[in-house]
Amino acid sequence: METPENAADDVQWALTDLYDHPDALKKDLAALEDDATAFAERYRGRIAELGPETLAEALDALGSLQDRLGRAQAYAYLYWTADTNDAERGALRQSVQETVDRIGQRLVFFETEWVALGADRVADLLAHEALDDYRHYLETEYRRKEHVLSEDEEKVLSEKSITGKNAWTRFFDETLGAARYELDGEALTQQQILSKLYDPDRTLRREAALAFTDGLKDHRRTLTFVFNTLLADKASTDRLRGHDHWLEQRNLANEVDDETVDTLVEAVTGRYDLVARFYRLKKQLLGVEELHDYDRYAPIREADTTYEWDEARALVLDAYGDFHPEMARVARQFFEEDWIDAALVPGKRSGAFSHGTVPSAHPYVLLNYTGKPRDVQTLAHELGHGVHQFLAREQSIFHHGTPLTTAEMASVFGEMLVFQRLMRNEEDPANRLALLVAKIDDTLATVFRQVAMNRFEHRIHTARRNQGELQADQFAEHWMETQRAMFEGSVTLGQHYQHWWSYVPHFLHTPGYVYAYAFGELLVLALHARYEAADGGFADRYLDLLRAGGADWPHALVGQMGVDLEDEDFWETGLSHVESLIEEAEALVGQTTLDPSRENGSPRTSS
């Protein structure tokens, strides 16, 4: 199966379901300003006196405003991500953000007045059925009581974020979006150069890693300054809000306590031996004397297989349909209604995501599709998000989204469905081993690498607060030490690898995000084990879970599936599933004969 590099050139989204044209967006924002002003005039200073029915009416009106604001932000952001080098798109995004922020300042009184209520008054209100549809939102808002400032102070923070955090993250995105990496006389985007790390040709992998490093080094001073600025900005905000540590705000937003996160991190770092065990096995499979950082994602077989867009679509939809027809029906709409942008276009944002937009609209998926096997898994991953976000449209704007702790659940589960379907259909032990190794590659990256990056984040946030501005070499030192700890000597990290901290967007856009990947992966391993053991009805309950969105605490929602997030042994159970995957791979090795020198395009010696 061969496919051209531009495998999905015609797959671009249509944003007309949000707005027909940027002018329609601007007109709606003008109306929104008037409507927000009217809302504030009606309710500002009165939240404490509202009864449950009138409070519900106020929340209805607030939800409508928030939905329209979210729609405007979604359009401007998605329009910009398709071409981050387009100055007009960037200007529109900035203009919309400034307007949304200005409107948001008129609405901030609702939060500050709500958290100012006494606990008994809040309990009485939340006990009333009129507020059933808003209960969890109000609970989580009140939980932040200690960290909410006065209305005027909140307005100032919101105003300054436009020229502060938001401006710097946009600058980071546009800098790396415009960056090109020279390889064999060709200027490649970040997505294109990183895809070479999955190539069977070891020489190409090494050259791609070095070329990517050269590009990052060109921006070293800029990226170091951006990181320092945003680390300082977060430290300042945390200090003003009275957060005890750098991760507290993220844990509150994720609706999980510090102890649960600490237990997750300790459990994962305590099993770094699984990482070393797997990479020693992979070194054997690749037939090399030393496994380098650019060898981690090397395929062991059939790495030249590519998938036409229609093949990837069929594969994912069939796997989803095997699980539940409704899941496939929802996913199919993304293809049929042009809700996906998968084309490789200059200036387009790298990576992949699913943007949930708002309940009155629908999600959009962004990919950079090259036809590689891993792209099929990425499609399954993002469509998992998309199905979750689509089904959760049954909830209000306040419960439509989910905390990060459960946001990765549906995406990783979608990947698992595709993987299991491929494994069931494959009888050849060598092909099964290749599939399994690729899956373990992704699992280790999702669980262990993300937690290692959490350890890096912990170091740089702590150091920036205690020591002041960090030099690039200090970032590199923290990066290399936390990465080496994970590999336990099983992978040789070259000097070039010390620069690879600087391109990870999650560190800047959503500090503390990365542990949620490990949370989601281990949660899915537990859910999938229950699915395989269930007599029936699991798929229906799972879709009900997705429909619930963020309408309850994560532990309560997944508890309905028989999973106890508050069980101290929960993470160990998930890690034991990872170990069983490695054991399965080790068992398959004895049944398989591979030719590493052919598959990796290099002799059985290190480069």
Side-chain angles (χ1 to χ4, degrees):
M1 278 182 294
E2 293 187 358
T3 186
E5 192 169 342
N6 54 352
D9 261 1
D10 297 329
V11 182
Q12 295 180 296
W13 54 35
L15 299 180
T16 51
D17 287 345
L18 295 172
Y19 291 100
D20 290 332
H21 189 272
D23 288 343
L25 160 64
K26 295 173 185 177
K27 182 178 179 180
D28 191 34
L29 280 177
L32 257 169
E33 291 209 61
D34 293 338
D35 293 342
T37 298
F39 177 86
E41 289 174 350
R42 181 176 181 183
Y43 290 108
R44 189 172 183 274
R46 295 186 54 222
I47 301 303
E49 67 186 50
L50 297 181
E53 290 87 356
T54 50
L55 181 58
E57 291 174 4
L59 285 161
D60 284 341
L62 179 61
S64 177
L65 293 171
Q66 296 288 11
D67 190 285
R68 291 165 63 192
L69 288 169
R71 178 182 286 262
Q73 284 183 296
Y75 180 90
Y77 176 70
L78 295 173
Y79 186 59
W80 171 79
T81 57
D83 187 356
T84 61
N85 295 337
D86 186 322
E88 290 187 4
R89 295 181 185 225
L92 176 66
R93 184 191 176 196
Q94 183 68 15
S95 174
V96 168
Q97 188 60 53
E98 290 175 4
T99 304
V100 167
D101 180 73
R102 186 168 60 249
I103 295 172
Q105 289 177 38
R106 299 178 189 179
L107 304 175
V108 73
F109 74 88
F110 194 98
E111 177 188 21
T112 58
E113 291 184 31
W114 170 252
V115 300
L117 298 180
D120 290 342
R121 170 71 171 149
V122 168
D124 288 342
L125 286 168
L126 293 183
H128 200 282
E129 62 180 5
L131 292 171
D132 282 352
D133 291 340
Y134 303 104
R135 180 171 293 106
H136 186 60
Y137 163 71
L138 294 172
E139 285 176 339
T140 55
E141 287 296 293
Y142 198 75
R143 188 185 180 207
R144 297 175 55 247
K145 179 181 178 72
E146 297 177 12
H147 310 294
V148 176
L149 307 178
S150 70
E151 182 182 349
D152 286 342
E153 289 169 327
E154 290 291 346
K155 286 181 177 180
V156 170
L157 283 182
S158 177
E159 180 81 23
K160 298 303 292 181
S161 69
I162 296 296
T163 52
K165 178 181 185 295
N166 294 345
W168 285 109
T169 53
R170 175 186 166 190
F171 177 63
F172 172 85
D173 287 342
E174 293 188 0
T175 298
L176 291 186
R180 294 296 179 267
Y181 307 90
E182 298 291 332
L183 181 65
D184 295 334
E186 188 177 2
L188 302 178
T189 65
Q190 177 178 302
Q191 193 72 25
Q192 290 171 320
I193 194 77
L194 290 178
S195 72
K196 306 298 183 187
L197 299 179
Y198 298 83
D199 198 274
D201 187 334
R202 194 183 197 200
T203 300
L204 177 59
R205 294 197 302 270
R206 179 177 182 275
E207 291 176 351
L210 296 177
F212 182 56
T213 301
D214 288 341
L216 293 178
K217 288 166 67 176
D218 289 342
H219 298 287
R220 184 186 189 199
R221 182 176 181 182
T222 297
L223 296 176
T224 300
F225 185 79
V226 171
F227 265 72
N228 268 302
T229 300
L230 285 168
L231 289 174
D233 179 83
K234 176 165 171 53
S236 173
T237 302
D238 284 349
R239 185 169 58 254
L240 290 171
R241 293 195 178 282
H243 288 300
D244 293 335
H245 55 85
W246 75 274
L247 198 55
E248 184 178 29
Q249 182 274 331
R250 176 54 44 209
N251 292 346
L252 283 169
N254 285 348
E255 300 178 24
V256 63
D257 56 59
D258 293 347
E259 292 75 16
T260 297
V261 177
D262 290 343
T263 301
L264 164 66
V265 170
E266 289 171 8
V268 173
T269 55
R271 292 309 313 269
Y272 276 169
D273 62 291
L274 294 177
V275 178
R277 178 176 170 181
F278 173 71
Y279 282 122
R280 291 188 184 105
L281 174 66
K282 189 158 190 181
K283 180 175 73 170
Q284 172 190 341
L285 291 170
L286 293 176
V288 295
E289 293 180 1
E290 188 175 10
L291 196 71
H292 289 265
D293 54 88
Y294 49 79
D295 294 321
R296 288 171 298 148
Y297 304 124
I300 65 169
R301 184 179 173 84
E302 296 187 352
D304 57 345
T305 299
T306 54
Y307 293 86
E308 297 278 1
W309 177 251
D310 287 343
E311 291 177 300
R313 165 181 170 161
L315 203 160
V316 174
L317 291 181
D318 286 348
Y320 278 20
D322 285 349
F323 178 73
H324 198 292
E326 176 67 4
M327 195 166 175
R329 185 194 68 79
V330 173
R332 189 173 294 108
Q333 290 186 71
F334 283 78
F335 298 94
E336 295 176 347
E337 305 294 336
D338 297 329
W339 299 349
I340 302 176
D341 196 304
L344 292 175
V345 179
K348 180 178 175 180
R349 185 189 186 278
S350 64
F353 64 74
S354 180
H355 193 304
T357 70
V358 290
S360 66
H362 56 74
Y364 284 90
V365 165
L366 178 138
L367 306 167
N368 285 271
Y369 191 81
T370 66
K372 301 288 187 183
R374 191 167 186 270
D375 290 342
V376 180
Q377 289 288 76
T378 301
L379 175 61
H381 181 101
E382 300 307 337
L383 280 177
H385 278 307
V387 170
H388 194 178
Q389 293 158 347
F390 184 89
L391 292 175
R393 290 163 67 244
E394 297 179 12
Q395 304 295 330
S396 71
I397 186 69
F398 302 110
H399 295 154
H400 173 234
T402 62
L404 296 179
T405 38
T406 52
E408 294 300 326
M409 173 182 63
S411 55
V412 178
F413 197 86
E415 280 190 78
M416 181 67 78
L417 293 176
V418 171
F419 167 69
Q420 292 291 350
R421 190 172 203 278
L422 290 171
M423 288 290 282
R424 285 196 305 270
N425 294 342
E426 184 56 68
E427 297 180 358
D428 183 274
N431 289 341
R432 287 176 61 82
L433 178 60
L435 286 170
L436 186 56
V437 167
K439 177 60 180 175
I440 298 171
D441 279 334
D442 287 342
T443 299
L444 295 193
T446 304
V447 176
F448 296 97
R449 183 170 183 266
Q450 299 298 336
V451 167
M453 291 201 294
N454 163 273
R455 297 295 80 203
F456 168 72
E457 278 192 288
H458 178 73
R459 282 190 175 212
I460 61 175
H461 279 283
T462 303
R464 183 68 177 87
R465 295 173 189 216
N466 295 338
Q467 303 168 21
E469 188 163 290
L470 303 178
Q471 301 301 309
D473 288 345
Q474 292 175 286
F475 281 109
E477 179 182 358
H478 291 307
W479 173 255
M480 294 295 277
E481 287 182 2
T482 51
Q483 290 287 298
R484 286 192 180 111
M486 173 181 64
F487 293 115
E488 291 190 347
S490 62
V491 175
T492 298
L493 303 180
Q495 281 296 105
H496 64 275
Y497 193 68
Q498 66 180 301
H499 301 279
W500 287 33
W501 56 271
S502 61
Y503 79 95
V504 182
H506 287 324
F507 295 154
L508 305 180
H509 285 273
T510 317
Y513 185 116
V514 291
Y515 78 72
Y517 284 109
F519 196 112
E521 180 80 19
L522 295 176
L523 171 58
V524 164
L525 287 172
L527 284 174
H528 196 269
R530 290 195 169 273
Y531 166 51
E532 291 185 319
D535 295 330
F538 180 94
D540 288 332
R541 295 197 306 276
Y542 175 77
L543 262 63
D544 287 341
L545 172 62
L546 301 190
R547 289 188 182 96
D552 206 341
W553 301 101
H555 69 269
L557 290 174
V558 301
Q560 298 171 23
M561 305 296 295
V563 173
D564 185 1
L565 292 180
E566 297 180 330
D567 183 349
E568 293 183 0
D569 295 328
F570 173 75
W571 307 117
E572 297 294 345
T573 302
L575 290 165
S576 71
H577 290 304
V578 178
E579 186 169 22
S580 68
L581 290 175
I582 297 173
E583 290 172 348
E584 184 179 352
E586 291 169 338
L588 278 172
V589 169
Q591 308 170 30
T592 307
T593 301
L594 295 173
D595 181 359
S597 62
R598 177 180 65 81
E599 297 294 342
N600 278 279
S602 61
R604 296 170 181 253
T605 57
S606 61
S607 57

